[in-house]
Amino acid sequence: MKTVVPDRQQSLVQWVSQATGINTFGVKVRLRGNDLHILCEGTECPQRWRTLSDLLQALQQTNLDILTSSEQTSIYQVFVYGRRKGEQRPSWCHRVHLNQIDKHLDQVQQALLADSEKSKQSGGALIVSNESLARQGNPEAIARYLSETLSTLGVSVQVKIKLYKPKNSQSEENRLWIFCHSSYSPDASLLAEPIAQKLRYLKLSGYQDAVIVSQVRGETAPDWLLRVDLTPPEVMLKEWARWGDVQAIARLLAEVLSGLKVGVQVSLKESTLHIFCIPAFDPLGTAPIPDKVVCLEAILPQLEAIAPQGILAATIYGQKAGDKEPTWIDWLALPAATHPAFAISPLDLANTGDEPAIVFLIERLLNPDLDWRLLTGGIRVLLLNKNGLLHIMCDAPVCPQRQQVASKITQFIRQLKISGIIGVRIYGRRAGNKEPFWHYGVDLEHRQRLVPEATPEFAATSIYINDLVTSETSEPILRPDLTTEEVQNFVTEVARDWIATASSTARKFLLKSQLFTESNESAERNHDVQGIKIALVWGTLGLLLTLQTDWVLGRIIALNTPSSPKVASATLPSSSSEQKVSLTSGKNQTEKTTFFSSTSKKKSPPNQSSVFNASEFTQSDDTPKNNLAAAPLKEKATATAILLAARSQMPSFNVRQLDEQLALYKQRLARTGSPPDVLIIGSSRALRGVDPAALSKALATQGYPNLDVFNFGINGATAQVVEFVIRHVLEPSELPKIIIWADGARAFNGGREDITFKSLAASAGYKQAFQKTPTTASSNDLENTINSGEEKTKEEKQEISTYEAVNQSLNQAIASVSGSYQNRDQIKSLLQKQLLIFGNNQTVASQKQLTDGTSDESISQQAVDFDGFLPLSIRFNPARYYQKHSRVPGNYDNDYKSFQVEGQQDAAFQEVLQFTQSQKISLVFVNMPLTGDYLDPVRKQYEQQFQQYMLHLATNPNFIYRDLSQQWLKVNDFFSDPSHLNRFGAYEVSKKLANDPMIPWPVK
């Protein structure tokens, strides 16, 4: 409800007081939509007709629009109430149409002459209704007619007529535009059907459709648009009757025969129409039987004009209602009997792929209530056949529900068995919208390769619109994130500071040892002979220590090198085997080499298989026997991410992986100048489960080349964490066109403690993200930093070139006498393996504390690449895995503790849905695969509950749900542990997503 602003309200109150003579304390006014409500009260109830007479005379001389707010639309009606003070309900009420004040005055004058207390005339009885005026097509009359309903909802109405040119027409046509203004945003479903019913009830001529625009007062952009089909009911009936619809034919014949006082009953048997003519009204059974000649003269022209499809003849009967035998009967041949094109039934035409026949049958299926369709326009069907796929759009004033529409259409298309149709795509939208609110797809045949189809015109997305219209949020980035030069500059500065600190500490130590002195001391102390002797002694000791270390390392290498040169040559892998190892997890990844291994025992050649290992125990059978496809491993980015996170001016979020992933993402934005086309987000199941490189390559084969994909997976991320990252950490201009949220039920459990988000919420970065304080540096500072880094790099290169020759000569001299220099690569490899073994032992305790179940791989494998993806090559082997990890059943799993989808995680997910919808971002949730070993009965029950929750939300626009949870229950080779994929499983998931026809991948 909208009240008048105080100053305008005072003006209206004073005007009513002056017109009626009632004290201003007894006058109250209120505006609702296009209606003005005036309440007059006093110690005695004001006289109805006298008050109205005074008020109507004032209305004749006053323009109410001057007295109301400038934002208020025109006033069409005035409701006047009278009551005694202290009473709750008015004693009388009168409605005044401002376009008929003269007639109202005549009515009031007649009432004043009569006895007002005995007058029972209701206000407006002699007034022409707004409905009869609106039928003439006058815009102002239509607005008054609609305001009778909408003003009670606080919605004001304006109606305009605009010319437009249809696509396939040269002439311009009239279109009715209805503007609804309100102080709030009414839901389209609240106004759609009432407005559609009232407009269609008018049976307006000269208008094909009407467009309803809802807009909140004070805003420039409309809230929503709605199209109402104004096709007259008679035309709709004739369209369906043309296809042989019995109900439509009966309605048309009933209208023709109603003037003859004849009723009609129609039925269809095979290809013959049976028409029974009975008296229209015969309660006593005395009405005469309809005349045969008169009935035939009325029916025959109608049937010939309709020419119903698939109906060859008509049999017409004349009888009384209830009679078993007709009084007269006649047979008629219809046009289908002589024209073969009309003889085929609509169903047979649909089986051949006739699109108009398919459209009629689907519309009839979706509109079983003919009265409702004629009243509101019903559900309209648009159809396109492209590349073997049948695209079907369903629109109505209120968007049809997917559950009620999709299954009916799918079942009907399956029954048709149209040749060449291998799939159906169904869309739903509100009439007047360009984009579908939901979509549904089914493949009728197995498709080896999905060829990308052009988006149908009726289902076009906002891709092309966004390319033409600049978004308000796409502002230039004030501070580009870290570049390669800046990272090098940062590393140089850190190294220089470290060298300076180390040099200062070493100098102090050497000075205290009395072996060295300051260079600026006196010459006498500089040439101290005793100091020179001490320096020579220490130098000799250092040289001896170096020689001894070289000898020890040489012995170690000799002990670890096989004595037989033939066997050694056999261990060298060929280039082809190296390529296989790069794609699969080979044996060399699991073998461990020690410094001092015995070489006295006889070993079998590497190319021969043995059932015994080095400890004379039988080997385990966990070595993979088959090669699996996967994307090539890419360069690790962990070190770069750590440096970028340290260099960032954004405070930490207390989640190290979030800091590092954000740093990599910002670097990607700075390098490309735009956000990636696809963003993968979620917990560790997304981090390991979707390979950006594999997804990009698979999309290229499907007709989406050069798509940039980034994986923003974070270990332990819940719905709250994802919502925080999308809405508060990243700017809208940094978000992609589509977000793939890969996760599962655990991330939506509102019953357990959210440890990750709790740690994040306590961080300084979390507070700053909500404060929205800019922390960007100026572009000049960045340029100076980069330039200084380039100058320092050039100076270092010049210094290196001066001593390069000397350094090379010394290396050659030492190499000639050293026992370990020639084998320095082997020494480096042994040291790395020992450090990895030590690192594994130190990280076992910390890995057990991870809530998302990380596997026991080496530290070198726990590193993301520059796409944010964590590729793991280990394959899940239950026999070996449960020797190191306890088997935890679902009823003892903390991730499913007090499982419920309602709560804080659901609230966060709803925020994400609203945000992505407002930003026109497509959100795809992928329920990631699990092993059958993990899905025990308890977890399976929770997963089913989560499935129902997701399917309920899948009706939201711009949201798609894909379930892969039970895709590979028995394929353990695709998993690194019971609930996480390895890089082979990630490769398969990426291919499956790329081939999904319902995911709206962006087009560059």
Side-chain angles (χ1 to χ4, degrees):
M1 183 186 300
K2 180 185 183 301
T3 58
V4 185
V5 292
D7 54 344
R8 300 292 182 180
Q9 183 177 6
Q10 187 66 25
S11 301
L12 281 172
V13 169
Q14 292 176 356
W15 173 77
V16 174
S17 178
Q18 293 174 2
T20 59
I22 301 175
N23 191 289
T24 55
F25 292 103
V27 177
K28 296 180 181 179
V29 297
R30 177 164 295 177
L31 275 170
R32 295 183 67 181
N34 298 102
D35 297 342
L36 173 63
H37 298 263
I38 301 175
L39 174 63
C40 302
E41 59 182 5
T43 55
E44 295 294 333
C45 178
Q47 295 182 4
R48 175 178 185 175
W49 303 112
R50 176 55 56 190
T51 303
L52 288 173
S53 177
D54 296 338
L55 193 58
L56 288 172
Q57 293 177 13
L59 285 172
Q60 276 187 322
Q61 305 172 4
T62 307
N63 184 4
L64 289 181
D65 293 338
I66 300 177
L67 299 176
T68 58
S69 171
S70 58
E71 298 179 357
Q72 172 65 35
T73 54
S74 299
I75 297 175
Y76 299 145
Q77 298 180 114
V78 177
F79 290 85
V80 186
Y81 308 86
R83 75 177 181 186
R84 180 185 299 175
K85 279 193 174 181
E87 294 181 353
Q88 296 294 326
R89 301 182 63 84
S91 300
W92 54 267
C93 173
H94 194 95
R95 178 169 62 178
V96 177
H97 300 275
L98 294 184
N99 61 337
Q100 303 180 55
I101 293 180
D102 294 337
K103 295 182 179 180
H104 280 290
L105 275 172
D106 294 340
Q107 181 190 18
V108 171
Q109 294 299 328
Q110 293 177 7
L112 287 173
L113 295 176
D115 187 3
S116 60
E117 294 182 359
K118 296 180 180 180
S119 176
K120 301 299 181 180
Q121 288 184 329
S122 59
L126 302 178
I127 306 301
V128 180
S129 66
N130 285 326
E131 176 188 328
S132 60
L133 295 174
R135 287 184 185 276
Q136 302 173 11
N138 183 272
E140 185 177 353
I142 295 174
R144 295 177 186 276
Y145 168 70
L146 293 177
S147 68
E148 294 178 0
T149 301
L150 299 182
S151 291
T152 58
L153 302 175
V155 179
S156 59
V157 184
Q158 281 184 328
V159 178
K160 296 181 181 179
I161 298 176
K162 295 183 180 181
L163 294 176
Y164 82 103
K165 181 180 291 186
K167 280 187 176 181
N168 301 324
S169 177
Q170 298 296 331
S171 60
E172 293 185 338
E173 298 180 4
N174 289 329
R175 171 171 282 170
L176 207 61
W177 286 80
I178 301 170
F179 298 90
C180 300
H181 301 272
S182 58
S183 57
Y184 66 102
S185 178
D187 190 80
S189 60
L190 179 67
L191 304 181
E193 289 191 355
I195 295 179
Q197 291 179 17
K198 292 186 75 67
L199 285 176
R200 291 187 55 80
Y201 182 73
L202 294 177
K203 298 182 180 180
L204 297 173
S205 61
Y207 303 101
Q208 293 294 326
D209 56 11
V211 178
I212 304 171
V213 182
S214 176
Q215 188 169 351
V216 179
R217 293 192 185 94
E219 296 186 1
T220 57
D223 195 18
W224 48 263
L225 298 176
L226 173 66
R227 177 187 173 275
V228 177
D229 186 6
L230 296 183
T231 303
E234 294 80 6
V235 177
M236 286 186 169
L237 287 174
K238 288 180 179 179
E239 288 178 355
W240 278 18
R242 163 67 187 85
W243 286 104
D245 184 76
V246 176
Q247 271 190 297
I249 295 174
R251 291 289 182 94
L252 289 175
L253 295 179
E255 291 181 6
V256 174
L257 297 175
S258 61
L260 304 176
K261 298 182 180 180
V262 176
V264 177
Q265 295 177 353
V266 182
S267 62
L268 179 66
K269 292 184 178 180
E270 295 182 353
S271 59
T272 301
L273 196 67
H274 298 269
I275 304 172
F276 296 87
C277 299
I278 59 177
F281 183 75
D282 188 17
L284 301 178
T286 59
I289 298 173
D291 184 71
K292 178 180 180 180
V293 176
V294 174
C295 291
L296 292 179
E297 289 178 352
I299 294 174
L300 183 58
Q302 290 292 325
L303 293 180
E304 289 181 348
I306 293 172
Q309 186 75 35
I311 301 179
L312 303 178
T315 304
I316 305 175
Y317 307 88
Q319 65 181 45
K320 285 188 176 183
D323 289 352
K324 295 182 178 180
E325 297 293 336
T327 304
W328 55 265
I329 185 171
D330 201 354
W331 291 268
L332 298 175
L334 298 183
T338 57
H339 295 80
F342 294 159
I344 307 173
S345 68
L347 185 59
D348 293 336
L349 285 175
N351 283 321
T352 63
D354 186 79
E355 293 186 5
I358 297 174
V359 169
F360 160 70
L361 292 174
I362 294 177
E363 284 188 347
R364 196 66 184 90
L365 178 68
L366 300 181
N367 297 279
D369 188 348
L370 184 59
D371 292 325
W372 178 82
R373 180 176 187 265
L374 298 177
L375 195 61
T376 64
I379 299 177
R380 187 178 62 148
V381 173
L382 302 176
L383 185 141
L384 281 176
N385 185 354
K386 286 191 175 183
N387 300 326
L389 288 179
L390 205 60
H391 299 268
I392 302 173
M393 167 62 74
C394 307
D395 69 2
V398 176
C399 178
Q401 296 184 5
R402 183 171 66 175
Q403 294 88 340
Q404 298 177 354
V405 171
S407 59
K408 290 183 179 180
I409 297 178
T410 303
Q411 185 178 3
F412 174 73
I413 298 297
R414 287 184 185 275
Q415 292 175 353
L416 291 182
K417 297 180 180 179
I418 305 172
S419 61
I421 298 299
I422 58 177
V424 59
R425 303 292 180 262
I426 306 170
Y427 310 84
R429 70 179 180 190
R430 184 174 62 233
N433 275 36
K434 186 76 172 178
E435 302 175 7
F437 282 11
W438 55 262
H439 36 75
Y440 177 83
V442 172
D443 288 336
L444 306 180
E445 299 179 7
H446 179 68
R447 308 176 71 197
Q448 296 294 337
R449 172 168 291 187
L450 298 177
V451 180
E453 307 86 9
T455 306
E457 181 182 354
F458 55 73
T461 62
S462 57
I463 295 174
Y464 307 104
I465 299 175
N466 290 339
D467 292 340
L468 299 176
V469 181
T470 305
S471 174
E472 297 178 358
T473 58
S474 58
E475 300 175 355
I477 301 175
L478 298 179
R479 182 185 75 90
D481 292 297
L482 298 173
T483 61
T484 305
E485 292 81 7
E486 191 174 2
V487 173
Q488 293 177 354
N489 187 29
F490 168 73
V491 175
T492 304
E493 291 178 359
V494 172
R496 186 180 295 106
D497 294 341
W498 183 83
I499 292 173
T501 304
S503 301
S504 176
T505 305
R507 184 178 60 179
K508 292 179 181 179
F509 173 79
L510 293 175
L511 290 174
K512 289 181 180 180
S513 67
Q514 300 298 320
L515 296 176
F516 300 89
T517 59
E518 292 284 352
S519 58
N520 56 0
E521 289 187 358
S522 60
E524 290 81 2
R525 294 190 61 182
N526 250 347
H527 296 289
D528 190 1
V529 178
Q530 186 67 24
I532 294 175
K533 292 181 179 180
I534 295 175
L536 290 175
V537 171
W538 281 100
T540 304
L541 291 175
L543 182 60
L544 291 175
L545 181 61
T546 301
L547 294 174
Q548 186 176 7
T549 303
D550 180 77
W551 179 82
V552 171
L553 290 175
R555 292 292 299 168
I556 293 175
I557 294 300
L559 291 174
N560 283 275
T561 302
S563 58
S564 174
K566 185 175 182 179
V567 175
S569 64
T571 61
L572 293 176
S574 63
S575 60
S576 61
S577 64
E578 289 178 357
Q579 184 177 1
K580 292 180 181 179
V581 171
S582 66
L583 295 176
T584 59
S585 56
K587 295 182 180 181
N588 57 345
Q589 295 182 1
T590 57
E591 293 178 354
K592 297 182 179 179
T593 307
T594 58
F595 275 122
F596 301 99
S597 59
S598 175
T599 58
S600 59
K601 294 181 180 180
K602 185 177 180 180
K603 298 181 180 179
S604 60
N607 57 354
Q608 297 179 4
S609 61
S610 175
V611 296
F612 297 98
N613 58 17
S615 303
E616 298 300 332
F617 285 97
T618 55
Q619 294 182 350
S620 61
D621 194 25
D622 59 354
T623 304
K625 296 181 180 180
N626 55 333
N627 294 335
L628 300 178
L633 294 174
K634 303 180 71 174
E635 182 182 356
K636 303 299 182 183
T638 301
T640 303
I642 294 173
L643 291 177
L644 292 173
R647 184 69 176 86
S648 174
Q649 297 184 18
M650 171 69 75
S652 174
F653 291 101
N654 287 352
V655 180
R656 176 180 172 182
Q657 194 168 36
L658 173 57
D659 296 338
E660 296 175 1
Q661 292 286 71
L662 179 61
L664 288 176
Y665 190 74
K666 293 286 187 179
Q667 184 197 35
R668 175 74 66 92
L669 293 175
R671 188 179 72 249
T672 61
S674 61
D677 301 297
V678 181
L679 179 66
I680 301 159
I681 200 165
S683 65
S684 55
R685 297 179 70 182
L687 182 70
R688 309 180 190 183
V690 184
D691 189 344
L695 180 60
S696 180
K697 183 178 179 181
L699 287 174
T701 63
Q702 297 298 319
Y704 303 95
N706 303 322
L707 290 187
D708 188 14
V709 186
F710 188 85
N711 191 319
F712 209 114
I714 305 166
N715 282 334
T718 59
Q720 289 189 104
V721 176
V722 172
E723 183 268 341
F724 174 72
V725 171
I726 293 177
R727 295 188 60 214
H728 302 290
V729 176
L730 300 178
E731 297 293 333
S733 59
E734 297 174 341
L735 292 173
K737 301 174 183 177
I738 180 172
I739 296 177
I740 305 295
W741 188 346
D743 219 314
R746 301 185 307 196
F748 288 78
N749 183 9
R752 70 180 177 100
E753 183 181 6
D754 193 342
I755 300 176
T756 306
F757 185 76
K758 185 176 181 181
S759 175
L760 188 151
S763 66
Y766 181 85
K767 297 177 182 178
Q768 179 168 317
F770 278 96
Q771 292 173 355
K772 299 293 184 182
T773 53
T775 60
T776 57
S778 65
S779 58
N780 293 332
D781 295 339
L782 289 176
E783 291 178 1
N784 295 335
T785 304
I786 295 172
N787 293 335
S788 62
E790 291 178 352
E791 293 175 359
K792 292 173 183 177
T793 304
K794 291 180 180 179
E795 294 176 359
E796 290 176 358
K797 288 182 178 178
Q798 292 177 357
E799 293 176 1
I800 292 173
S801 62
T802 57
Y803 65 83
E804 189 175 9
V806 177
N807 184 44
Q808 185 175 1
S809 61
L810 288 176
N811 286 340
Q812 293 176 354
I814 295 174
S816 61
V817 297
S818 173
S820 62
Y821 184 81
Q822 300 294 337
N823 299 317
R824 58 188 182 277
D825 292 334
Q826 298 182 27
I827 296 174
K828 180 180 178 181
S829 177
L830 290 175
L831 288 173
Q832 287 178 344
K833 290 181 179 179
Q834 289 300 313
L835 289 175
L836 291 177
I837 294 172
F838 177 77
N840 280 336
N841 294 333
Q842 294 295 322
T843 57
V844 167
S846 62
Q847 289 177 359
K848 289 182 179 180
Q849 297 175 359
L850 294 177
T851 60
D852 54 359
T854 56
S855 62
D856 58 344
E857 289 216 351
S858 63
I859 296 176
S860 65
Q861 293 174 315
Q862 296 281 359
V864 299
D865 56 25
F866 281 93
D867 290 331
F869 173 60
L870 178 59
L872 299 181
S873 299
I874 189 172
R875 307 189 196 183
F876 173 59
N877 186 327
R880 181 169 57 88
Y881 181 85
Y882 290 117
Q883 291 179 357
K884 300 179 180 179
H885 303 83
S886 300
R887 185 188 293 269
V888 181
N891 51 350
Y892 293 101
D893 191 345
N894 286 332
D895 289 332
Y896 292 91
K897 182 179 180 181
S898 304
F899 185 83
Q900 59 177 8
V901 291
E902 299 82 8
Q904 54 192 6
Q905 305 298 345
D906 173 62
F909 185 48
Q910 296 292 342
E911 292 290 337
V912 173
L913 286 176
Q914 295 179 9
F915 177 76
T916 52
Q917 183 178 353
S918 64
Q919 298 294 327
K920 303 296 183 182
I921 298 174
S922 298
L923 179 63
V924 180
F925 188 91
V926 182
N927 195 12
M928 296 297 284
L930 296 167
T931 62
D933 200 67
Y934 181 80
L935 279 178
D936 58 9
V938 175
R939 292 191 181 99
K940 188 172 294 185
Q941 180 182 358
Y942 294 145
E943 287 291 332
Q944 292 175 354
Q945 184 178 348
F946 178 68
Q947 290 273 6
Q948 296 175 359
Y949 168 75
M950 276 296 171
L951 291 174
H952 174 71
L953 293 175
T955 57
N956 287 274
N958 293 355
F959 176 65
I960 299 172
Y961 173 65
R962 283 292 174 263
D963 180 31
L964 304 179
S965 60
Q966 301 187 31
Q967 188 70 31
W968 298 300
L969 294 177
K970 303 296 184 181
V971 188
N972 291 335
D973 283 346
F974 285 169
F975 294 85
S976 60
D977 61 42
S979 61
H980 292 83
L981 294 169
N982 54 24
R983 68 189 186 97
F984 311 109
Y987 179 80
E988 297 298 328
V989 166
S990 302
K991 286 202 309 179
K992 194 167 188 64
L993 293 178
N995 291 337
D996 195 318
M998 299 310 298
I999 299 180
W1001 298 111
V1003 179
K1004 282 194 172 181

